[in-house]
Every structure is written in structure tokens, then in C-alpha cells.
Amino acid sequence: MSVRTTCAYCGVGCGIVATLTGERSVEIAGDADHPANRGRLCSKGTHLGETVGLDGRLLHPMIGQRRAGWDKALDLVARRFRAAVAEHGPDSVAFYVSGQLLTEDYYVANKLMKGFIGSANIDTNSRLCMSSAVAGHLRAFGEDVVPASYDDVDGADLIVLVGSNTAWCHPVLYQRVRARCAAGARMVVIDPRRTETAEEADLHLRLRPGSDVALMNGLLAWCRDHDALDRDFLRDHVAVPDGFWQQLADGSDLWSVARACDLAPAELRRFYELFVATPRTVTLFSQGVNQSVTGTDQVNAILNVHLATGRIGKPGAQPFSVTGQPNAMGGREVGGLATTLAAHLDFSPPSRALVQRFWGSPTVAAKPGLKAVDLFRAVEEGRIKALWVMATNPAVSMPDAGRVRDALARCPFVVVSDVVEETDTVRLAHVRLPAAAWGEKDGTVTNSDRTVSRQRAIFPLPGEARPDWWIVAQVARRMGWRTPFAYDRPAEIWREHVRLSTYGNAGERLFSLAGHAAGGNAGYDALAPFRWGGTPFADGRFPTADGRARLVAVAQKPLAAPLRDWPLLLNTGRYRDQWHSMTRTGLAPRLARHREEPLVELHPDDAAAAGVADGGLARVTTPQGETLYRARVTDAQRRGELFVPIHWTAQIASGGRTGRLTRAQVDPFSGQPGFKSCPAAVDAVTTAWRGFLLVSGEPAHRPDCLWATRVSLATGSLWELAGDGALAAIEACLPAGERIEAADRARGTRRVAVLAEGRLRAALFVTATGELPPRDWLIAQLNAPAAPTLLAGRPPGGAVDRGAIICACFDVGLRTITAAIRDRSLADVAAIGAALGAGTNCGSCRPALARLLATETNDAA
Ligand SMILES: Nc1nc2c(c(=O)[nH]1)N[C@H]1C(S)=C(S)[C@@H](COP(=O)(O)OP(=O)(O)OC[C@H]3O[C@@H](n4cnc5c(=O)[nH]c(N)nc54)[C@H](O)[C@@H]3O)O[C@H]1N2
Ligand SMILES: Nc1nc2c(c(=O)[nH]1)N[C@H]1C(S)=C(S)[C@@H](COP(=O)(O)OP(=O)(O)OC[C@H]3O[C@@H](n4cnc5c(=O)[nH]c(N)nc54)[C@H](O)[C@@H]3O)O[C@H]1N2
Ligand code: SF4
Ligand SMILES: [Mo]
């Protein structure tokens, strides 16, 4: 049986054909007919099948540590929310939801909070993700509409990627960008880091973090001075505030901008000239722009340039804010942010009246609710008496996450709906509700380019898991609103959502799903991907009162000089093969090996100053907290700037807890936190020993030492370790069995292998000063008959070490690739593919392959 569905992960929204191969196993292929990906998938999508097992799943409602029936759990939730509202008013309760809910789930949660409880205290993790883009769109266009589509990428001659590591975070869209470049388009990357995306750019502007407004204002001034404004478009379709051009003149000459951005005037000029010469330009942006305390201004600086040069609403000429989560866009459509009401309506009296009439509800929230950071502040201060978290892990992903965790621990009543049993947030819940996961749910998602697709169930619901919409509707009914929440299936919710989008909408709101509810339940089941909104702004009309877009005067804010105690800036972001807090990608062995440990990447000069060695441990400290990382010394970082990943949690590692480091400063318009730059310091951490533990299955207990990170394997788990204490505690993690041991006092090494029936069950390798063997061969020995060279950590014939896994699809390591490039004189990425298979499936590793080719050829020359 094959099911057409949509990927669980990013906002590209790739179509998948999933073929059931067993009770809980599935074969994943790209859907050749889906407009978002035309059959392609990245490493994460390709390996979705490794994440659908039931180990670690939350399968029953839990009250405290006790299993409870659904009736009991739902009654308790309804009673506690009702009691809080009765005693302290509607604003004493809150929902914190997620762009990983389906549209139908989201719609019901929003309806319950805003229309029936009567508060707008429902905010979403999209606040942390693209609320600055939303605020920027509202200021410029009057409605939160992303005008671009993926087809515009296919039609662009210049693609500018601002604050986006597209190759890693929107990989299938990135392949479309590269295909366009192969056909002659240019690619400019604006990012302080030399990412794999930047490595492939025709021009990489490594600007000073936070200087994007200066750069874009400089571009706009350059366009004006070089006769590149679209005067007709400005006259007919854009409102320009008084004094806009005079204000822009300040500090927008090439030299001042170059200084502000820490760029060479010549490279800046090259970008500006390229832009002026290329009418068909798409500027694609994401978190490097949004996640800033000046994020909304940065968005408007980009939109200003596109509006003033008429590069909007035309094929191949668009600003393009891409969304991160699979249904971030759907969340915006239903009004899941505390600052919007529903269906792109706001809290104005006529909008409220309209929505209230449509819902037939007793009340509608009168004002915007608390934005995420304020919401958790209210929890901390005891103003929120009952909180319901759905499909997000705020104890990890909120800024200053340690404080959020404390706030959750103090909240009188916390409900968490999740698919896994243990997360850093779930741990703090009074009631845990088992949600249906990807592969079990039915509904719709909207991707970055407004394409709505169905997610369809592949498996039956396991245990007592239920879809999120069902759980919310059940609570609503038990709170007394039976009829408005009498849904039996997601199709009914979808039809209501479609009707609301057209209700009292004679074209004032571009968001309309008119015509997409037809066909009843069967039509919903068969719903093919479609894009709403056509080509917005193609006629130059904008959804403002006067039909004009707005230029918004924005000025570069002064950037603070480094502080004495916090001389560095901490930048945070993503790895290619992990998704957020790793509750799902962390299960996939093939995804684990790209980057096994959380790294702090830092410039050689900063490493030298702090005494940090490549491959050693380093402590990153900020005013909020501290945590450890493995150090990677690299000139891909600018001097003075650190980069760390957001993925590792207490479930997986003792260190790498990035959320604790970040600060809760937000953009004043959007409330989005400035995750990308936080004052920080780094220092070296030395330990008495370093080692690794390899076990079939899980260790007897979790290794407890200064550094312990878990890596999923197909046959068990690998733990990278470092510490000072005695090894007895670590050895206690080994399973029982026949032991073979070796020790070398001089080098402080100790090696233990545990066998059962002659097969390797576990191994512990520790060293005080020496080297540790590569892990690959030993991993392959797990459960195999013990080789005589086990304790040497290498095969009888000598060393084979594939190195870090570059190609996750075919499991090809770095050393294998470099050797093949050298020995077989491979000249391009295609030749590597032909020789090793690497890069020929999902293509996510193609930038890495290109870089290996470049370094190997350089070394050879
Ligand atoms: N593999 C993977 N893919 C994902 C996700 C994932 O967890 N893993 N998550 C998804 C989600 S929800 C999101 S929101 C997207 C995020 O996708 P991206 O926005 O591409 O990802 P990030 O790594 O957060 O940050 C992007 C870049 O912004 C740069 N940057 C930092 N400061 C500045 C600055 O001041 N100016 C500029 N111009 N750039 C700056 C950073 O160096 C970084 O390379 O990814 C989605 N896709
Ligand atoms: N420092 C720093 N912090 C960041 C960012 C950054 O760049 N830097 N990026 C921010 C951004 S853009 C984002 S989007 C957030 C992401 O942060 P989170 O949303 O906290 O991350 P996830 O790990 O995706 O959490 C999703 C949770 O929902 C569960 N889940 C999965 N599917 C379902 C389902 O169908 N139903 C239910 N009920 N639960 C489900 C998962 O098990 C998991 O626990 O992080 C933000 N935090
Ligand atoms: S690009 Fe990758 S993660 Fe994103 S939707 Fe497509 S397959 Fe999934
Ligand atoms: Mo995001």
C-alpha cells in the first residue's frame, strides 16, 4: 500500500510516497508529482522511515507518573482550565503551540482559546521563527502575504540568500537554486559564517552580524543614485513616507556601509552592481534576518529594496521569506500567533465581530495575547495558572531556556501534548497527552510558497495516541462547548477553515481558500497540492486601505562594541541532518553520523587566545548560563564570533545546551528573540581522560561524567565521554558478560570489551594522553564474533577508517571520498557519484563533496 503524504520536517514541504512494508515500517520515496520537490528529498526526508518505531513513544495519557484513561485525563485538563478562568479570568490560562501542528489541529486550538475561552494567550514557536517576517509583511503590504513561489527561483537570474544556510536547512529548494545557477543565474550569500551554502556562492558577503539594515539601505541608496528605482511602480503602487529618501542618505554611501558591515567596498560594490544589472532577482531570507532584535527592520529593509525597484509580484523577481517548520505558514493562516485573530484578520472591532458571528461564540478575545517570551515571563510570575504546550519543546528552544524551565516547574498546572515519552519539557508536565505522530495523522500543511498539501496517515494510531485536533476538541467539549467542537474528522475542520477564509471576504484579504472545500470527505482525502493566492501583487495592488504598499523608514541601529567580560558573539543555528531538539532525527542512525557531537566553531585567533584546541572541550559562558561543546577551530568563523547548534538536549548529552545560553531580548515589533547574537566568552576545559563507550542496545545506566553525548546506532548506541573522576562509575555502565581487558599505564589507556557467546556486546576505550581508535570498525563489530584485534580497535589487516559520514544516504565517509578523489583522479561531484554513489540520492552532501574536491585538488597542486 502506498500513501501520498508530505515530509514531517522543513518548510520546503516535499511530497512523499510512503509504502508500507511492515506493521511499523515504511519505504520512503520522493513524490515525482509534487510541485515542491518533483521527486527529490533531502537526507532528513529520505530517512524518515528510521524514525517511525515505537521505542520511546508516549502511548498513554499520564497524570503525574501514573497512567490514566483518556476520560480521566481530559476531564482533569478541562476542569483545571475552567477553574482557572472562573477564578482568575481568561487571561490566566495559555496555550503554547507549534508550526509542527497540522492546520486542522492549529485551527481548533486557536478557536478554543480566542473564541471560547476568550483570551488571545495562544502563541506559537513561530514567534521564535518568522514573526519578524510577519511583522515586516504587515508593515509593507498590509497583510502577511509571501508573494514568492518556488517557480520564481526557477525564473531568477540572481538569487540572494540572506541569513539562510539553505543547503542545510531547505535542501531541496537549494537544489532548485543550484539548478538555476547551473543554467546561468548568480548566487550571492550574505552570512557572517562561511557555510556550505556560502562556499558555493559567486559572492559571499561575510558581514558583521546585525548589520543587514546598513547593507540593504546602502543597496537602496545605490539603486537611487544609479537610476535603478522603478519610478512608475513607486508612483502608482507605493506610499513613501515623508523624509524617507533624506533619512536614507545618512550613512548609506558605499564607504560608510562597508565600514558598518565590516566588508571591503569593492565586494559590496560588486553586489550592488549585480543587483542593479539583474531585474529578475529573488532575495530569499530566513533566520539570520528574522532572529534579531532588529529583525522586523531588517525584513523591511529588504522589502523596501524590492518595492522601490519594482522587483515584486513578477516572475523571478520577489522577496522570499522562507518558513522553517512544515506548517509554519498554515499557523499564520489560522491565526496561531497571539497577535493575529484568525484567517489573516486582526483584533479590530469589525474583524472580531465577523469571527464571533462565524464561530457563533460567546466571546472573542478583545486584544492580542502574550507573545512567547512574555508568556513564559507571565508563567514565571505566577500570572498563568494553567498552560498547555503542544508539539514544541520550550525548555530547550526558548531563549534563556534555564529560566523557562524554572518557570514551567513553578506553574500550577502544565499539560504537554507530545509524541515522545521524555523531553526536557515533557518532564515538567502534570499531564502528558499522547499525540499521533507523523505517519499517523491526517490533515493539511502549507509550505513556504503557499502550497497546501495533505499529510496522510500511513499507520494506524498506536497505543492510545490521538490526533491533536481530537484532543483539543475533547477538552473544549468538556469545558462546555459541545456543538462548536463536535468534529468527527479533520475534513470537517478543513471545510470550516475554508469557509472562514471566504467569510465576509470580498477580496479585502488575499488569504482565501475559496473553491477548495468541494468534494466532501472524499474530496478532502483526495485533495491534491494547490497554492492559494495565485501571484499576489502581480497587478501592483496591495491589501492596504489605499491599495498601495509602504516603504518603511528603517535605520541601522548602532552595534555594541564587545564587552570586557563577554568579548565574543554567540551565533546559534542548525546542522544538516538534525531537526531541532532531536526527538525524531535523533532516532535515525544514518542521520547521527554527519555531526556526532555538538561543536563550538571558533576562529583560530579566538581559540589561541582562550587556549582552546581543535577537538578539545570548550566551555561557552554567557550572562544566562554555561555549557560545554567539542571545539572545532575554523576560519569559517569570523574572528570574535562563535557558532553552536541548537539540537542537543538533556536527553542526549551532558553539554551542548544552547538554549540556556541565549538571552531573551526581542525585536520590539515582532517579539522575536535575537537568537543569533548574544555576548559570550569561551575557555578551554581539560579533563583527566577521554573515551567512548559502545553498547549493543543501551548502557546499563547513563554514563555520568563531565562530557557524555549519545549517538544512535543501528545496533545500539555510542557514547563519547570525557571526565576527571574514577573510571569505576563508567565501567558500571557496561553490561555483564565475559570481559577482555588491556591497560597501558604510561599512556593512561584502558580498554575493555564485553562479550556474550563470543560476540561483542560492549566496548569501553579510555585514554589520558594517547589517541583513540576511529569508531567505525568497532561499531561494525557490535554483535559480531569477536575479532582477535578487538582491543586494538582495528581489523586484523590494518586500519580502515571512513572518517565522518558525509553522504548519509549511502553511508560514505570523508576518508573514503578523499582517497577516491586522489587515487581515481575524480574531477567533479558527478564523478564521485559515479564512483561511490555519494551525492546521487538526496544531494544534501553535494556542497560538502564540492569542498572536498576543492581542497584535495588544491593539496595536489
Ligand atoms: N537540517 C535542518 N533543517 C531545518 C531545521 C533544522 O532544525 N534542521 N529547522 C527548520 C526551521 S524551523 C527553520 S526556522 C529553518 C532555519 O533555516 P536557516 O535560517 O537557514 O538556519 P539557521 O542555521 O538558524 O541560520 C541561518 C544563518 O543565519 C546566519 N546569520 C547569523 N547572524 C546573521 C546576521 O546578522 N546577518 C545575516 N545575514 N546572517 C546571519 C547564521 O550564520 C546562519 O548560517 O530551518 C528549517 N530547516
Ligand atoms: N538558540 C536558538 N534557539 C532557537 C532557534 C535558533 O536558531 N537558535 N530557532 C527557533 C526556531 S526557528 C524554532 S522553529 C524552534 C523549534 O523548537 P521546538 O519547537 O521546541 O523544537 P522541536 O524539537 O521540533 O519540538 C517539537 C516537539 O513536538 C513533538 N512532536 C512532533 N510531532 C508532533 C505532533 O504531531 N503532535 C504533538 N503534539 N507533538 C509533536 C516532538 O516530539 C518535540 O518534542 O526553536 C527556536 N529556538
Ligand atoms: S527539504 Fe528535506 S526536510 Fe525539507 S521537506 Fe524536503 S525532504 Fe523534508
Ligand atoms: Mo523555525
Side-chain angles (χ1 to χ4, degrees):
M1 185 197 67
S2 285
V3 176
R4 290 200 132 83
T5 184
T6 315
C7 179
Y9 300 117
C10 86
V12 178
C14 297
I16 281 179
V17 179
T19 308
L20 205 62
T21 53
E23 205 178 321
R24 285 298 298 190
S25 64
V26 67
E27 209 171 85
I28 302 287
D31 181 351
D33 294 332
H34 198 287
N37 58 319
R38 304 253 170 252
R40 288 196 165 278
L41 294 175
C42 78
S43 47
K44 293 181 295 301
T46 300
H47 297 295
L48 260 170
E50 293 180 16
T51 67
V52 298
L54 294 180
D55 275 355
R57 275 290 298 272
L58 178 63
L59 293 173
H60 304 281
M62 304 282 287
I63 298 175
Q65 293 310 314
R66 316 251 310 247
R67 196 170 142 178
W70 268 114
D71 271 331
K72 200 163 170 210
L74 293 166
D75 281 339
L76 175 65
V77 173
R79 195 171 67 240
R80 291 294 298 254
F81 271 77
R82 218 174 31 220
V85 171
E87 198 175 331
H88 305 280
D91 290 334
S92 70
V93 299
F95 295 168
Y96 182 60
V97 303
S98 163
Q100 294 171 76
L101 291 173
L102 303 183
T103 297
E104 292 75 5
D105 305 326
Y106 234 140
Y107 179 91
V108 177
N110 191 57
K111 178 178 176 180
L112 172 58
M113 184 52 87
K114 288 182 183 148
F116 290 82
I117 292 177
S119 165
N121 282 348
I122 170 171
D123 209 32
T124 145
N125 62 359
S126 290
R127 181 70 59 196
L128 319 177
C129 185
M130 32 50 4
S131 59
S132 291
V134 173
H137 290 150
L138 284 169
R139 290 204 295 185
F141 309 147
E143 182 176 343
D144 173 30
V145 173
V146 176
S149 81
Y150 299 151
D151 300 338
D152 289 311
V153 169
D154 301 339
D157 298 319
L158 171 64
I159 299 160
V160 185
L161 305 175
V162 195
S164 164
N165 188 6
T166 330
W168 281 13
C169 297
H170 295 90
V172 169
L173 176 57
Y174 183 70
Q175 291 195 37
R176 226 152 145 162
V177 169
R178 293 313 292 165
R180 187 63 194 161
C181 292
R186 302 297 189 82
M187 181 173 111
V188 174
V189 170
I190 302 175
D191 193 311
R193 291 193 301 146
R194 196 177 65 237
T195 57
E196 282 192 357
T197 313
E199 279 173 353
E200 297 199 302
D202 296 288
L203 177 65
H204 174 205
L205 299 177
R206 288 183 83 173
L207 82 174
R208 183 176 176 202
S211 64
D212 293 79
V213 169
L215 188 134
M216 288 294 159
N217 277 356
L219 174 59
L220 185 52
W222 180 275
C223 290
R224 184 200 45 195
D225 298 343
H226 294 79
D227 203 23
L229 300 183
D230 186 336
R231 306 237 169 233
D232 294 344
F233 192 80
L234 277 171
R235 184 194 58 226
D236 297 338
H237 301 301
V238 183
V240 183
D242 289 341
F244 180 88
W245 296 107
Q246 290 86 319
Q247 181 260 357
L248 182 71
D250 280 350
S252 287
D253 61 284
L254 192 64
W255 288 268
S256 308
V257 174
R259 206 173 320 114
C261 300
D262 195 14
L263 293 168
E267 50 180 352
L268 201 55
R269 185 190 178 117
R270 215 181 125 206
F271 170 49
Y272 289 179
E273 286 175 348
L274 199 55
F275 187 92
V276 165
T278 322
R280 293 206 297 179
T281 294
V282 165
T283 303
L284 185 151
F285 59 96
S286 52
Q287 301 312 353
V289 174
N290 299 338
Q291 285 177 340
S292 160
V293 292
T294 55
T296 305
D297 281 357
Q298 293 177 171
V299 169
N300 284 108
I302 293 171
L303 300 181
N304 284 346
V305 171
H306 277 264
L307 284 168
T309 59
R311 284 169 172 78
I312 191 164
K314 297 180 187 139
Q318 299 273 24
F320 196 171
S321 151
V322 287
T323 48
Q325 297 175 91
N327 200 32
M329 193 70 98
R332 285 147 81 165
E333 291 155 7
V334 304
L337 289 158
T339 40
T340 57
L341 178 54
H344 283 205
L345 290 159
D346 59 16
F347 293 88
S348 66
S351 297
R352 288 182 55 224
L354 186 103
V355 173
Q356 186 169 1
R357 205 159 53 239
F358 180 82
W359 279 339
S361 66
T363 159
V364 152
K367 56 174 199 312
L370 294 169
K371 304 185 187 105
V373 169
D374 299 332
L375 192 155
F376 282 98
R377 205 48 58 81
V379 172
E380 178 183 84
E381 289 165 5
R383 286 182 281 136
I384 300 294
K385 312 294 179 195
L387 173 71
W388 190 351
V389 176
M390 301 174 209
T392 177
N393 195 354
V396 176
S397 56
M398 282 291 291
D400 201 355
R403 194 163 162 188
V404 166
R405 186 177 309 226
D406 293 345
L408 283 167
R410 218 174 295 153
C411 186
F413 189 63
V414 178
V415 183
V416 177
S417 304
D418 206 291
V419 302
V420 300
E421 211 166 26
E422 271 284 350
T423 71
D424 296 11
T425 302
V426 162
R427 235 176 221 193
L428 300 163
H430 299 100
V431 179
R432 286 183 268 171
L433 302 175
W438 182 86
E440 300 150 12
K441 323 180 38 145
D442 251 310
T444 55
V445 291
T446 311
N447 74 359
S448 284
D449 87 340
R450 286 175 277 114
T451 298
V452 177
S453 310
R454 287 277 275 106
Q455 265 191 19
R456 295 185 175 91
I458 308 161
F459 308 110
L461 291 170
E464 291 183 90
R466 293 290 178 272
D468 288 290
W469 67 263
W470 182 91
I471 304 174
V472 178
Q474 282 296 323
V475 169
R477 292 189 210 183
R478 284 158 211 256
M479 288 181 79
W481 299 297
R482 304 201 69 82
T483 318
F485 292 90
Y487 306 113
D488 285 326
R489 49 170 61 85
E492 294 165 8
I493 306 167
W494 167 255
R495 288 195 288 271
E496 185 177 317
H497 172 56
V498 170
R499 275 192 288 117
L500 178 56
S501 79
T502 60
Y503 190 66
N505 183 5
E508 298 86 347
R509 289 172 272 145
L510 287 182
F511 173 62
S512 163
L513 299 169
H516 292 288
N521 297 341
Y524 179 76
D525 286 341
L527 192 71
F530 72 92
R531 184 186 298 135
W532 64 260
T535 312
F537 316 153
D539 55 359
R541 282 195 57 80
F542 291 85
T544 52
D546 58 8
R548 287 169 172 272
R550 306 262 178 288
L551 294 190
V552 180
V554 292
Q556 175 67 46
K557 295 266 176 342
L559 295 170
L563 305 170
R564 194 170 53 91
D565 292 338
W566 314 106
L568 305 171
L569 274 185
L570 182 71
N571 179 3
T572 63
R574 295 161 167 78
Y575 284 171
R576 187 189 81 189
D577 288 354
Q578 294 299 346
W579 177 263
H580 299 166
S581 64
M582 289 168 79
T583 59
R584 290 167 296 154
T585 47
L587 304 170
R590 300 248 207 164
L591 297 180
R593 311 282 327 269
H594 174 242
R595 293 217 164 162
E596 296 181 334
E597 293 179 290
L599 306 174
V600 54
E601 293 171 73
L602 75 174
H603 187 273
D605 292 353
D606 296 321
V612 170
D614 189 50
L617 293 179
R619 174 174 25 239
V620 177
T621 312
T622 70
Q624 290 69 242
E626 60 172 62
T627 184
L628 302 189
Y629 299 89
R630 174 100 37 221
R632 175 170 293 181
V633 179
T634 166
D635 67 358
Q637 286 299 119
R638 283 164 46 100
R639 204 184 300 162
E641 295 163 21
L642 310 173
F643 181 79
V644 295
I646 60 174
H647 308 295
W648 273 264
T649 70
Q651 308 302 314
I652 302 167
S654 60
R657 312 275 275 282
T658 297
R660 293 183 169 186
L661 301 178
T662 50
R663 61 180 168 178
Q665 281 190 5
V666 301
D667 175 273
F669 303 99
S670 66
Q672 179 157 356
F675 279 125
K676 296 289 186 251
S677 60
C678 171
V682 69
D683 66 331
V685 174
T686 49
T687 55
W689 54 264
R690 174 179 177 182
F692 66 86
L693 170 70
L694 185 63
V695 281
S696 173
E698 294 300 316
H701 3 238
R702 268 180 81 136
D704 181 17
C705 50
L706 193 65
W707 179 258
T709 60
R710 180 184 182 281
V711 180
S712 280
L713 303 174
T715 46
S717 57
L718 167 70
W719 295 76
E720 293 292 334
L721 308 169
D724 292 315
L727 287 178
I730 303 297
E731 287 193 27
C733 301
L734 288 166
E738 179 199 341
R739 286 188 172 211
I740 47 172
E741 305 185 18
D744 173 344
R745 275 184 183 280
R747 284 151 73 210
T749 60
R750 177 157 173 72
R751 297 177 172 195
V752 184
V754 181
L755 312 180
E757 286 157 15
R759 289 167 184 271
L760 181 68
R761 281 294 129 87
L764 174 67
F765 279 56
V766 175
T767 180
T769 51
E771 291 278 294
L772 290 165
R775 321 292 186 259
D776 266 315
W777 180 75
L778 275 168
I779 291 172
Q781 301 315 301
L782 267 187
N783 303 322
T789 55
L790 255 185
L791 290 185
R794 58 183 147 71
V800 276
D801 171 18
R802 298 183 299 166
I805 297 305
I806 303 292
C807 171
C809 295
F810 295 110
D811 228 14
V812 190
L814 181 131
R815 299 229 164 86
T816 313
I817 296 165
T818 48
I821 294 172
R822 258 182 284 116
D823 304 345
R824 301 198 227 169
S825 312
L826 305 178
D828 53 29
V829 172
I832 300 180
L836 303 171
T840 57
N841 180 45
C842 79
S844 296
C845 64
R846 292 170 71 93
L849 297 178
R851 181 167 31 120
L852 289 176
L853 274 166
T855 27
E856 284 302 308
T857 352
N858 270 344
D859 289 354

